[in-house]
mmCIF file of all heavy atoms in Angstrom:
data_model
loop_
_atom_site.group_PDB
_atom_site.id
_atom_site.type_symbol
_atom_site.label_atom_id
_atom_site.label_comp_id
_atom_site.label_asym_id
_atom_site.label_seq_id
_atom_site.Cartn_x
_atom_site.Cartn_y
_atom_site.Cartn_z
ATOM 1 N N GLY Q 1262 -3.560 67.278 -31.503
ATOM 2 C CA GLY Q 1262 -2.374 68.059 -31.229
ATOM 3 C C GLY Q 1262 -2.711 68.946 -29.995
ATOM 4 O O GLY Q 1262 -3.784 68.924 -29.356
ATOM 5 N N ALA Q 1263 -1.696 69.807 -29.655
ATOM 6 C CA ALA Q 1263 -1.840 70.776 -28.612
ATOM 7 C C ALA Q 1263 -1.722 72.168 -29.132
ATOM 8 O O ALA Q 1263 -1.544 73.116 -28.399
ATOM 9 C CB ALA Q 1263 -0.729 70.592 -27.518
ATOM 10 N N GLY Q 1264 -2.057 72.335 -30.449
ATOM 11 C CA GLY Q 1264 -1.952 73.718 -31.091
ATOM 12 C C GLY Q 1264 -1.584 73.464 -32.539
ATOM 13 O O GLY Q 1264 -2.422 73.758 -33.437
ATOM 14 N N THR Q 1265 -0.296 73.209 -32.782
ATOM 15 C CA THR Q 1265 0.046 73.082 -34.174
ATOM 16 C C THR Q 1265 1.070 71.807 -34.366
ATOM 17 O O THR Q 1265 2.006 71.720 -35.203
ATOM 18 C CB THR Q 1265 0.960 74.279 -34.644
ATOM 19 O OG1 THR Q 1265 2.007 74.479 -33.795
ATOM 20 C CG2 THR Q 1265 0.051 75.517 -34.722
ATOM 21 N N ASP Q 1266 0.788 70.726 -33.552
ATOM 22 C CA ASP Q 1266 1.615 69.611 -33.598
ATOM 23 C C ASP Q 1266 0.746 68.234 -33.825
ATOM 24 O O ASP Q 1266 1.249 67.178 -33.606
ATOM 25 C CB ASP Q 1266 2.454 69.448 -32.381
ATOM 26 C CG ASP Q 1266 1.694 69.410 -31.175
ATOM 27 O OD1 ASP Q 1266 0.394 69.545 -31.221
ATOM 28 O OD2 ASP Q 1266 2.275 69.168 -30.149
ATOM 29 N N GLY Q 1267 -0.449 68.354 -34.233
ATOM 30 C CA GLY Q 1267 -1.303 67.199 -34.574
ATOM 31 C C GLY Q 1267 -0.795 66.478 -35.711
ATOM 32 O O GLY Q 1267 -0.137 67.027 -36.639
ATOM 33 N N VAL Q 1268 -1.063 65.120 -35.663
ATOM 34 C CA VAL Q 1268 -0.460 64.218 -36.669
ATOM 35 C C VAL Q 1268 -1.589 63.396 -37.442
ATOM 36 O O VAL Q 1268 -2.479 63.038 -36.788
ATOM 37 C CB VAL Q 1268 0.538 63.143 -35.984
ATOM 38 C CG1 VAL Q 1268 1.078 62.167 -36.991
ATOM 39 C CG2 VAL Q 1268 1.641 63.889 -35.350
ATOM 40 N N MET Q 1269 -1.401 63.307 -38.777
ATOM 41 C CA MET Q 1269 -2.321 62.541 -39.553
ATOM 42 C C MET Q 1269 -1.517 61.956 -40.782
ATOM 43 O O MET Q 1269 -0.681 62.649 -41.340
ATOM 44 C CB MET Q 1269 -3.466 63.435 -40.062
ATOM 45 C CG MET Q 1269 -4.495 62.741 -40.849
ATOM 46 S SD MET Q 1269 -5.878 63.889 -41.277
ATOM 47 C CE MET Q 1269 -6.890 62.879 -42.276
ATOM 48 N N THR Q 1270 -1.804 60.657 -40.913
ATOM 49 C CA THR Q 1270 -1.218 60.123 -42.107
ATOM 50 C C THR Q 1270 -2.295 59.329 -42.934
ATOM 51 O O THR Q 1270 -3.319 58.819 -42.384
ATOM 52 C CB THR Q 1270 -0.121 59.012 -41.863
ATOM 53 O OG1 THR Q 1270 -0.637 57.972 -40.958
ATOM 54 C CG2 THR Q 1270 1.028 59.732 -41.135
ATOM 55 N N VAL Q 1271 -2.113 59.234 -44.278
ATOM 56 C CA VAL Q 1271 -3.061 58.604 -45.066
ATOM 57 C C VAL Q 1271 -2.254 57.632 -45.992
ATOM 58 O O VAL Q 1271 -1.243 58.066 -46.616
ATOM 59 C CB VAL Q 1271 -3.951 59.487 -46.000
ATOM 60 C CG1 VAL Q 1271 -4.857 58.659 -46.893
ATOM 61 C CG2 VAL Q 1271 -4.616 60.552 -45.098
ATOM 62 N N ARG Q 1272 -2.647 56.282 -46.132
ATOM 63 C CA ARG Q 1272 -2.014 55.395 -46.810
ATOM 64 C C ARG Q 1272 -3.031 54.609 -47.711
ATOM 65 O O ARG Q 1272 -4.214 54.540 -47.382
ATOM 66 C CB ARG Q 1272 -1.245 54.370 -45.986
ATOM 67 C CG ARG Q 1272 -0.100 54.894 -45.284
ATOM 68 C CD ARG Q 1272 0.529 53.790 -44.366
ATOM 69 N NE ARG Q 1272 1.891 54.202 -43.917
ATOM 70 C CZ ARG Q 1272 2.124 54.944 -42.854
ATOM 71 N NH1 ARG Q 1272 1.083 55.374 -42.174
ATOM 72 N NH2 ARG Q 1272 3.335 55.249 -42.543
ATOM 73 N N LEU Q 1273 -2.716 54.306 -48.927
ATOM 74 C CA LEU Q 1273 -3.618 53.609 -49.873
ATOM 75 C C LEU Q 1273 -2.956 52.179 -50.233
ATOM 76 O O LEU Q 1273 -1.664 52.114 -50.406
ATOM 77 C CB LEU Q 1273 -3.672 54.343 -51.211
ATOM 78 C CG LEU Q 1273 -4.239 55.775 -51.052
ATOM 79 C CD1 LEU Q 1273 -4.286 56.489 -52.363
ATOM 80 C CD2 LEU Q 1273 -5.617 55.828 -50.504
ATOM 81 N N SER Q 1274 -3.819 51.290 -50.349
ATOM 82 C CA SER Q 1274 -3.444 49.908 -50.900
ATOM 83 C C SER Q 1274 -4.566 49.334 -51.701
ATOM 84 O O SER Q 1274 -5.631 49.819 -51.685
ATOM 85 C CB SER Q 1274 -3.047 49.008 -49.707
ATOM 86 O OG SER Q 1274 -4.183 48.641 -48.947
ATOM 87 N N THR Q 1275 -4.177 48.340 -52.480
ATOM 88 C CA THR Q 1275 -5.262 47.526 -53.190
ATOM 89 C C THR Q 1275 -5.420 46.226 -52.767
ATOM 90 O O THR Q 1275 -6.177 45.276 -53.243
ATOM 91 C CB THR Q 1275 -4.759 47.505 -54.712
ATOM 92 O OG1 THR Q 1275 -3.562 46.948 -54.832
ATOM 93 C CG2 THR Q 1275 -4.783 48.957 -55.366
ATOM 94 N N ASP Q 1276 -4.845 45.957 -51.491
ATOM 95 C CA ASP Q 1276 -5.149 44.654 -50.753
ATOM 96 C C ASP Q 1276 -5.289 45.014 -49.352
ATOM 97 O O ASP Q 1276 -5.308 46.209 -48.978
ATOM 98 C CB ASP Q 1276 -3.976 43.636 -50.995
ATOM 99 C CG ASP Q 1276 -2.744 44.072 -50.512
ATOM 100 O OD1 ASP Q 1276 -2.687 45.025 -49.675
ATOM 101 O OD2 ASP Q 1276 -1.729 43.566 -50.834
ATOM 102 N N GLY Q 1277 -5.547 44.005 -48.467
ATOM 103 C CA GLY Q 1277 -5.899 44.205 -47.060
ATOM 104 C C GLY Q 1277 -4.705 44.304 -46.081
ATOM 105 O O GLY Q 1277 -4.878 44.110 -44.940
ATOM 106 N N THR Q 1278 -3.606 44.785 -46.602
ATOM 107 C CA THR Q 1278 -2.450 44.972 -45.841
ATOM 108 C C THR Q 1278 -1.980 46.466 -45.858
ATOM 109 O O THR Q 1278 -1.816 47.051 -46.854
ATOM 110 C CB THR Q 1278 -1.153 44.153 -46.296
ATOM 111 O OG1 THR Q 1278 -1.589 42.732 -46.247
ATOM 112 C CG2 THR Q 1278 0.053 44.358 -45.364
#
Side-chain angles (χ1 to χ4, degrees):
T1265 58
D1266 59 351
V1268 176
M1269 181 177 178
T1270 60
V1271 180
R1272 291 176 167 85
L1273 301 175
S1274 66
T1275 54
D1276 61 22
T1278 300

